[in-house]
Amino acid sequence: MFGYIKVDQANLLGKEYEAYKGIYCSLCRQLGRDYSVLARFILSYDCTFYAMLALDLAEQPACYRQGRCRFNPLKKCAYADTETAAFSLAAALSVISAFYKLKDDLLDSPWYKRILYYLILPFFARWRRKAARRYPQIDAIVSGMMDDQQKAEHDPDCVLDMAAAPTAKMLSEMCALLTDQLPLRKGLDPDKTKRILSSTGYFIGRWIYLIDAADDLEKDQKQGQFNPFLLSGVDATAEYMEATLNHALSEALLCYGLLEKGRYHRIILNVLQDACVKTQRKIIGEVADKHAWTDADSQAPA
Amino acid sequence: MKNPYEVLGVSETATDEEIKTAYRNLAKKYHPDNYYDSPLADLAEEKMKEINGAYDQICEMRRNGSRSTASSGSYGSDSSYNRTSYPDVRQYIMNGRLDDAMELLNGVPEGSRNAEWYFLMGMVFSRKGWNDQAYSYFQRAYQMEPNNTEFQAAFNSMNARRTYTNPGYQTSDSMGCSACDICTGMLCANCLCNCCGGGRGC
């Protein structure tokens, strides 16, 4: 999870933004309750989106209550209370994915960062153990994704789709899991909903992987690290990246469009239709600028 | 059975024009063109039938039993297999048996792989979610037979999904479309839906 799935506040109504913020604050609180006050620091927009998707599907709506932020008591928060497993699922996903990401970062980080990572690893490991006891399937999904990613990156025949598949599959399975873990709202057929969420999750996961790859392109190029846009046969131009990202996002939207509208429908659309597009334009714009500079440098007279 | 007004997302007091607009918006959103190579093609087809049925029902109710002619209601009804070299592969794709379809396609010797072979490989990859591979196979099929309407429509539709004006981004309720868009789309759909619903190129 990388923090790319956020809302575009400018295009949300005030009450919609408040509803979203309530979910964000509630997930933060859940991380504190289920794991530790320190676990609140791994709160991410991606897992907030996951919690929102869960609440959107759940039969019982969240009940918003005013409260105060633990870190800033002067700030009021509207917590979204629910009896469903929406937040505990999202909190478990947060700590499990944070643990595996940290383990992965240990492999390819400079020594000074590794020291810090080794110091915090026991905390992450303890949270992961606790989350895995409660949701072993989430641990299996995320650890499976890490293994598949390693395999794909070391496969000599790796293509862009193969590299993107583990993250896509992980989110696909995580979204499908919601239909097993929550009592669904009226009008949703469990099998159809599972298929729709699974496909929507797949393409959102694919988009997340590709946008992260586009964002890291320059760094990976310099450090000689794996990047799907640097694979042979892949055209690492801004236009190509934009088309590939658009394709994934468009498929996600088409799949999500088949789901009966829920209570957070407009916010979910805002995320996929406005915020992701903005993020994409910004990152691709930076890639295009760098290309333009590189081209200009290579054409400049010596 | 669902209330037809609820299906179209309009109130029972909506004017005929409002109903027509709501129908057109939904028909464009759930158009088979947008989903023919999607893993959820069957659900989109079901949704389209529901929308067509709701519109027909409202028109019928409002015209005291007279039948509406505005909706097509014919997606996926053609199930003939004329002019396809790979009826089994198409059947597997339609049933979601993508690995079996891929195995059959891989068994075709390289020398006898025609444009339809590339098109079907594109379909398999697209339904698996491997968009990049799907795009290159559709492109190859189109380049080999640019006059084939099925390959042309598949390639154009996928190209549209790779731009900011793609159908996915137009899922908001405020979107509108002209009657001309609908007619053109439906003409293409009749050709395209055969691929998953039946399998005949036009």
Side-chain angles (χ1 to χ4, degrees):
Chain A
M1 295 297 193
F2 311 93
Y4 292 109
I5 303 288
K6 46 193 168 189
V7 290
D8 176 25
Q9 196 185 342
N11 280 311
L12 274 184
L13 296 176
K15 62 176 183 181
E16 288 165 348
Y17 184 64
E18 284 302 313
Y20 175 76
K21 249 185 81 194
I23 298 170
Y24 184 79
C25 293
S26 297
L27 180 58
C28 177
R29 188 182 58 181
Q30 189 80 29
L31 282 164
R33 276 183 186 168
D34 287 357
Y35 303 100
S36 143
V37 67
L38 292 174
R40 289 173 178 239
F41 286 105
I42 58 168
L43 175 66
S44 69
Y45 289 121
D46 298 317
C47 290
T48 307
F49 179 79
Y50 185 72
M52 178 164 68
L53 199 59
L55 288 173
D56 184 75
L57 297 168
E59 188 182 17
Q60 189 200 38
C63 175
Y64 284 84
R65 279 180 223 283
Q66 284 294 330
R68 290 199 180 268
C69 175
R70 178 68 76 89
F71 287 106
N72 181 4
L74 295 175
K75 203 176 98 185
K76 280 184 181 170
C77 294
Y79 290 109
D81 288 340
T82 175
E83 284 169 17
T84 65
F87 289 114
S88 72
L89 280 164
L93 176 62
S94 303
V95 293
I96 290 172
S97 53
F99 168 77
Y100 284 107
K101 176 142 195 339
L102 187 71
K103 257 183 82 177
D104 190 51
D105 287 345
L106 273 171
L107 300 174
D108 49 15
S109 296
W111 65 269
Y112 53 90
K113 278 192 181 172
R114 257 185 291 173
I115 293 174
L116 174 73
Y117 293 161
Y118 272 118
L119 287 173
I120 57 172
L121 188 65
F123 295 99
F124 280 54
R126 201 173 66 219
W127 302 334
R128 189 216 46 111
R129 269 199 307 276
K130 196 175 173 193
R133 267 200 301 272
R134 192 164 179 194
Y135 295 112
Q137 56 282 62
I138 299 184
D139 191 56
I141 291 169
V142 180
S143 66
M145 182 271 278
M146 300 305 288
D147 293 344
D148 291 349
Q149 193 65 53
Q150 284 294 323
K151 271 183 220 154
E153 287 181 14
H154 290 100
D155 191 321
D157 298 323
C158 184
V159 289
L160 183 132
D161 292 326
M162 191 193 283
T167 312
K169 191 168 150 262
M170 188 266 279
L171 212 59
S172 163
E173 289 172 354
M174 283 305 303
C175 288
L177 185 71
L178 292 176
T179 56
D180 302 328
Q181 296 285 330
L182 300 163
L184 299 179
R185 67 178 139 88
K186 206 180 139 207
L188 289 186
D189 175 86
D191 292 339
K192 274 188 204 168
T193 307
K194 194 172 193 167
R195 280 188 61 202
I196 294 171
L197 283 179
S198 171
S199 294
T200 309
Y202 185 94
F203 290 111
I204 296 177
R206 182 181 162 92
W207 186 84
I208 292 176
Y209 178 79
L210 293 175
I211 195 77
D212 186 53
D215 207 7
D216 289 347
L217 183 67
E218 200 196 359
K219 189 189 83 184
D220 290 342
Q221 211 161 9
K222 271 185 196 160
Q223 297 176 355
Q225 285 183 350
F226 180 87
N227 188 300
F229 291 114
L230 295 174
L231 286 167
S232 66
V234 176
D235 180 14
T237 59
E239 293 76 22
Y240 173 82
M241 287 182 203
E242 197 164 35
T244 314
L245 286 159
N246 265 331
H247 199 164
L249 207 49
S250 177
E251 297 287 356
L253 276 159
L254 284 168
C255 294
Y256 174 68
L258 290 169
L259 192 72
E260 296 288 333
K261 285 177 195 171
R263 51 186 78 93
Y264 296 112
H265 173 74
R266 274 186 45 88
I267 313 178
I268 294 170
L269 269 193
N270 169 280
V271 171
L272 299 177
Q273 210 162 247
D274 301 322
C276 287
V277 171
K278 262 191 186 172
T279 306
Q280 186 178 303
R281 281 187 194 270
K282 186 174 163 272
I283 290 172
I284 296 296
E286 284 165 8
V287 173
D289 284 349
K290 276 167 202 154
H291 272 236
W293 279 105
T294 319
D295 291 350
D297 285 349
S298 60
Q299 282 166 15
Chain B
M1 192 175 168
K2 275 186 186 171
N3 178 341
Y5 290 97
E6 269 177 32
V7 173
L8 296 191
V10 291
S11 77
E12 293 194 16
T13 54
T15 62
D16 287 354
E17 199 50 44
E18 283 167 345
I19 288 168
K20 204 181 274 181
T21 308
Y23 167 72
R24 281 177 183 167
N25 289 345
L26 289 172
K28 188 165 184 183
K29 179 175 166 182
Y30 297 109
H31 203 281
D33 269 12
N34 300 334
Y35 290 96
Y36 76 99
D37 57 349
S38 158
L40 304 177
D42 55 325
L43 295 185
E45 198 184 335
E46 221 174 87
K47 185 86 183 167
M48 195 67 218
K49 277 182 189 161
E50 186 183 52
I51 292 161
N52 283 337
Y55 184 63
D56 282 347
Q57 205 184 333
I58 294 174
C59 290
E60 209 165 333
M61 287 190 300
R62 292 197 169 196
R63 289 175 198 173
N64 295 324
S66 67
R67 177 123 185 101
S68 160
T69 54
S71 111
S72 85
S74 60
Y75 296 115
S77 56
D78 189 350
S79 61
S80 55
Y81 278 120
N82 297 340
R83 282 195 280 162
T84 175
S85 320
Y86 308 98
D88 296 345
V89 175
R90 286 184 184 259
Q91 191 65 47
Y92 281 147
I93 293 173
M94 200 173 83
N95 297 336
R97 292 172 60 182
L98 302 179
D99 290 340
D100 293 330
M102 180 73 94
E103 205 181 316
L104 277 188
L105 286 169
N106 282 333
V108 175
E110 248 175 78
S112 41
R113 291 174 180 177
N114 59 8
E116 193 189 6
W117 184 89
Y118 285 95
F119 170 74
L120 292 174
M121 280 296 272
M123 281 292 287
V124 173
F125 277 117
S126 187
R127 292 214 172 188
K128 259 178 81 173
W130 286 39
N131 296 343
D132 207 50
Q133 293 288 304
Y135 182 70
S136 51
Y137 279 107
F138 276 169
Q139 191 174 28
R140 182 82 187 267
Y142 172 67
Q143 281 165 351
M144 286 169 85
E145 268 186 49
N147 295 325
N148 183 308
T149 48
E150 189 180 22
F151 308 158
Q152 193 181 40
F155 183 57
N156 289 343
S157 167
M158 195 168 266
N159 259 326
R161 271 174 275 160
R162 294 167 72 88
T163 68
Y164 285 110
T165 51
N166 67 57
Y169 292 144
Q170 297 173 3
T171 49
S172 75
D173 301 331
S174 56
M175 164 208 84
C177 68
S178 68
C180 188
D181 289 343
I182 292 280
C183 295
T184 322
M186 284 179 177
L187 277 174
C188 293
N190 277 334
C191 305
L192 273 171
C193 63
N194 297 340
C195 175
C196 17
R200 185 185 61 172
C202 292

